[in-house]
Amino acid sequence: MEILKEYLEKFIKYDSGEEISKFANYSFLKDRLPIFECSDKTLEEIYYFRAYTLMKHIRKDRNGKYIVTEFSVPVSWAEDTEGAISCAVGHHLAELGWISGMENIVKEYIEFWFEHKENLLLYNNWFAYAVYRYALLRGEMDYAYSVVDKLIKCFEELEKRHRAQCGLYKSVDNYDGMEYSISASGIRCTINSYVYANAYAIYKILAYKSDARAEKYCRFSKKLKTRINCKLFKNDFYYNAELSRGETLNLFNREFSNPNADKSVKEEAGFIPFYFKIAGKKQLSALRFLTDETVFSLPFGIATADCRHEQFMRENGHMCLWNGPVWPFATSQTLRGVIETIRKYESVSPVGAKDFCKMLQTYANSQYIVIDGVKRPWIDENLDGRTGEWLARKIMKETGNPGAERGKDYNHSTFLDLVIGGLCGAGTERGKVKFKPLISEDITSFSLKNLRIAGKTYELTYSSGKFCVTEK
């Protein structure tokens, strides 16, 4: 436990002058957060840093109920929801699923979104899938079933408003939280993957109680999965597609889209189908581009667009571009997809455990900044994958934008989920707890203590090439 205390004291010292969070402290986390030690001290430090920053975003709304915010400071587009933004709700639930004793807080947060359904649907997301996965980890499937009718209502509205003529789903790129992407709006891998994931989750929750409605969602998700693989995967990659002739988008919010759209570009969003296990063996070849330094692999992370494209990193005056900058939001989705793929297709996957560990280490190494000559852990909005500089922050500082510090502790991505569920290999499979670590020779040892999954406590150790699981 001392390692947790030491890191938290360090982070609190960096944030001197800030109000100390009720949750981002040793007394709250010591019996809740799994204790991680690793031969790679950067992975170790960023693990505790991300737990610390996550906890800083838990607060009560005006009705005294717990919510999880995205920014640490108020932003105009989240005034109605007091700082809660639905774009990364799937990431929030993924992270919180590994921390025990948070069930009441998480349930209040989930209920908050049911009560703010229109705000939930302002951004495309995988809310039902995240609730389902959270329930599996925490042994809360009875709870998931108790809210399944509410999940269905949210899903039906999402499905209806984005339905396209071709049988797939359409959306504006910034409704995905991906402003000014090169491919822009249309039939996007994002919304189609989310509709599938949410339908699949509802099917599994209903099936848990042998609810007859499960068959409807089972058929729906299977059919959509086939359509995604047939219509969006072309030759070597998942590409976004054009709308049918004469078809228009349904606009619910402001649009920030690239006027020079190119649907032939490879974008990191094309890896999202791997997160939700939509991809089959025929689609595995797309993953080879992840490790290609001429396409997506950069010194400080995974580019959001093909580095060879003429519009890669093209400036347009906006600070939140998705035409190449590294976004931790997308990195989290991509690496989760790699985890799922290796678990299912290890023998034939073009990326393996060593590749995953390298990408995870690169992700950890990118989460730093130098302020007043001091290098410290940092998570923000987006960064230049070639230099490691936090871009939105840089642009706002250069233009005198008063919101330049808004990205500090940005809660828009995951890290605990990738360490515990990827490197350490913890997870569930067909209702049972399973452990399948993704190990590389570059990480010689690690341990994870006080890991609680579905009511049981585990201790994991890896050293000298041997991985051990002990149930406590």
Side-chain angles (χ1 to χ4, degrees), residues 86-87 89 117-130 150-164 168-172 175-176 188-202 217 220 224 250 252 276:
S86 65
C87 184
V89 62
K117 182 163 66 73
E118 280 306 309
N119 298 97
L120 172 69
L121 298 175
L122 278 179
Y123 285 96
N124 302 324
N125 56 66
W126 56 105
F127 182 56
Y129 186 88
K150 295 178 181 179
L151 291 172
I152 288 172
K153 286 181 180 179
C154 294
F155 170 77
E156 287 177 343
E157 182 62 32
L158 176 76
E159 192 274 337
K160 180 181 178 181
R161 67 170 56 181
H162 293 290
R163 197 180 298 157
L168 288 172
Y169 295 88
K170 59 187 178 182
S171 188
V172 178
Y175 296 179
D176 293 329
R188 292 178 55 79
C189 296
T190 47
I191 183 61
N192 283 280
S193 296
Y194 302 160
V195 171
Y196 166 81
N198 289 327
Y200 176 82
I202 290 169
Y217 290 94
F220 178 96
L224 180 54
N250 298 324
F252 314 103
F276 304 110

Side-chain angles (χ1 to χ4, degrees), residues 8 14 67 87 108 120 143-144 159 177 179 242 252 281 315 377-378 391 419 431 467:
L8 290 177
Y14 281 137
I67 60 172
C87 184
E108 286 189 5
L120 172 69
Y143 165 74
E159 192 274 337
E179 302 93 317
E242 299 283 0
F252 314 103
K281 285 186 179 180
E315 297 180 7
W378 191 269
L391 278 177
V419 170
F467 177 71

Side-chain angles (χ1 to χ4, degrees), residues 137-138 433 435 450-458 471-472:
L137 285 176
R138 303 280 12 121
V433 177
F435 297 95
N450 197 36
L451 173 64
R452 297 173 187 168
I453 305 177
K456 295 182 179 180
T457 302
Y458 301 90
E471 184 178 334
K472 295 294 185 175

Side-chain angles (χ1 to χ4, degrees), residues 91 96 280 291 431:
H91 286 332
L96 291 167
T291 55

